[in-house]
Amino acid sequence: MSSKRVYVAYTGGTIGMRRKGSVYEPVPGYLDELLSRMPEMVAETIPEIEVAESVPLLDSSDITPSDWERIARDILDHQDYDGFVVLHGTDTMAYTASALSFMLEGLSRPVIVTGSQIPLSEPRSDARDNLIDALTIAGHPEVVIPEVALLFNGLLLRGNRATKTSADGLDAFESPNYRPLGRGGIHLTLYKNRIRNRLPGELRVAKLDTVHVAALRLFPGIEPRVLTEVLREPMQGIVLEAFGVGNAPTHPGIAAAIREATARGVVVVVCTQCLRGSVNLGAYVAGSALADAGAIAGHDMTVEAAMTKMYWLFGQGLAPDVVKQEMERDLRGEITLPDDPQRAIL
Ligand code: ASP
């Protein structure tokens, strides 16, 4: 067995559930029992692990921002380990991976978030492969990824770029706007040039206050009062999931609702409903009206990244102007800005 030590924070999710009739349910201690029976766990490439089980084990639909903070602090408190694996339900895994990427400031070790679509206890489970890949990466003796990444079905994705794109496929996650950090085939290949360098400073996790943020998906015929209602106090910020490159209905009531809210300091970030590509509020009248009303572009951020980033910024008590500014900056590799030196837009 490898001499590396990996701390496994088991939060719940399908991976460790047991079948009860026609449904799956989390059972305390059950995952540990299954792991102890896996012969692969003593292989040379597998690090020594300690599994810490959350009480209670959660379906990830029940995960809240205070759980993100709890997981981040748990990692902070176990700095004597070489790497971390977070076992999590798939439904909100991309939110947790994004949130952790912002919360774990000064991260120097791998934090690999994974889970499965089928429990480890079932014959056709994808849990074994996901778990083994995650442990191998988190405990690798030479290549250290100082990032929060999401491992699923042979793809290692930057956590804040991942999104769940399949409800029932084993290839449940994609990173539509950033290439994978690694891929599993006969070998596990890591693409070093896509992995971020560690940021300076010691690991720290800020204490976060309660935050009021929301996401709203636009739809044809949306009435302005829907926006007015959502943007009411105490809302601090919203992610507006707009059409295409960031368009909204040109009904003057829509822009008016946004103008009124941004004047009060509400931060409105425009993301796209499309899976791929970036927001450009200057392309159409339907988008520039949003910018004129004080909304800002989320560029190619996923909604999960935009939501959790805003949560983290407001949670630290930052003023709306500062939040706005930071939302348009690349903090953890979550966003591709139009002036990215790696690209030329002709
Ligand atoms: N409902 C489960 C969860 O997110 C689904 C899964 O883990 O795949 O916790």
Side-chain angles (χ1 to χ4, degrees):
M1 187 178 287
S2 145
S3 59
K4 294 282 170 175
R5 293 169 69 231
V6 168
Y7 183 79
V8 180
Y10 168 37
T11 67
T14 297
I15 188 162
M17 291 191 191
R18 189 167 65 189
R19 183 189 287 280
K20 188 180 180 198
S22 59
V23 293
Y24 295 135
E25 65 171 9
V27 179
Y30 185 54
L31 181 77
D32 236 357
E33 186 192 317
L34 294 174
L35 292 178
S36 69
R37 286 196 245 130
M38 278 171 65
E40 306 86 323
M41 298 306 287
V42 294
E44 210 179 304
T45 51
I46 301 297
E48 186 189 325
I49 61 167
E50 181 189 330
V51 181
E53 191 174 279
S54 294
V55 181
L57 290 168
L58 294 171
D59 185 296
S60 75
S61 315
D62 286 326
I63 292 264
T64 65
S66 63
D67 294 305
W68 301 336
E69 210 175 322
R70 178 176 52 79
I71 300 165
R73 290 199 182 283
D74 196 17
I75 290 170
L76 180 69
D77 291 344
H78 290 90
Q79 282 309 290
D80 46 331
Y81 285 81
D82 301 293
F84 302 87
V85 168
V86 178
L87 299 180
H88 197 284
T90 59
D91 289 344
T92 66
M93 189 186 284
Y95 286 91
T96 297
S98 289
L100 291 178
S101 79
F102 297 114
M103 287 175 165
L104 293 167
E105 298 172 74
L107 184 66
S108 61
R109 292 159 216 213
V111 174
I112 314 293
V113 187
T114 194
S116 67
Q117 292 276 61
I118 306 174
L120 182 59
S121 54
E122 295 289 313
R124 288 186 53 252
S125 178
D126 51 334
R128 180 194 166 280
D129 288 355
N130 290 346
L131 186 66
I132 297 288
D133 284 355
L135 289 174
T136 307
I137 295 166
H140 197 274
E142 280 130 44
V143 188
V144 176
I145 303 175
E147 287 215 34
V148 177
L150 187 153
L151 184 293
F152 218 88
N153 193 47
L155 283 180
L156 183 70
L157 310 174
R158 176 166 296 153
N160 55 38
R161 291 286 195 161
T163 188
K164 187 172 180 183
T165 54
S166 176
D168 59 6
L170 300 185
D171 53 348
F173 289 87
E174 283 180 59
S175 167
N177 289 322
Y178 193 77
R179 286 186 293 166
L181 306 180
R183 220 177 254 286
I186 291 179
H187 302 287
L188 268 173
T189 307
L190 298 182
Y191 306 109
K192 289 183 177 177
N193 61 334
R194 299 179 196 166
I195 297 169
R196 281 169 73 78
N197 293 329
R198 76 162 285 198
L199 294 171
E202 290 292 295
L203 185 68
R204 88 179 195 102
V205 175
K207 173 94 199 77
L208 302 185
D209 293 337
T210 306
V211 168
H212 302 283
V213 291
L216 177 68
R217 187 176 172 94
L218 295 179
F219 51 89
I222 185 171
E223 292 175 57
R225 69 187 166 88
V226 173
L227 262 169
T228 312
E229 285 302 323
V230 173
L231 291 165
R232 249 187 229 295
E233 271 195 67
M235 197 55 69
Q236 294 166 284
I238 70 160
V239 176
L240 201 61
E241 296 180 49
F243 308 128
V245 290
N247 299 315
T250 55
H251 187 305
I254 299 278
I258 292 172
R259 183 169 295 110
E260 187 277 324
T262 56
R264 276 190 283 119
V266 179
V267 175
V268 178
V269 180
V270 182
C271 287
T272 174
Q273 294 179 10
C274 299
L275 183 59
R276 274 169 247 288
S278 192
V279 162
N280 171 7
L281 296 180
Y284 295 90
V285 172
S288 60
L290 294 178
D292 291 345
I296 55 168
H299 301 283
D300 64 349
M301 266 189 294
T302 60
V303 171
E304 293 91 327
M307 285 285 296
T308 54
K309 183 176 178 181
M310 202 148 62
Y311 178 87
W312 176 68
L313 293 169
F314 273 124
Q316 294 170 83
L318 299 176
D321 274 1
V322 181
V323 172
K324 219 167 137 175
Q325 218 173 60
E326 296 296 285
M327 286 303 293
E328 288 201 285
R329 279 185 57 214
D330 178 16
L331 303 181
R332 304 279 193 273
E334 74 281 6
I335 191 169
T336 318
L337 296 169
D339 59 0
D340 184 336
Q342 299 299 318
R343 295 194 319 190
I345 299 177
L346 308 179

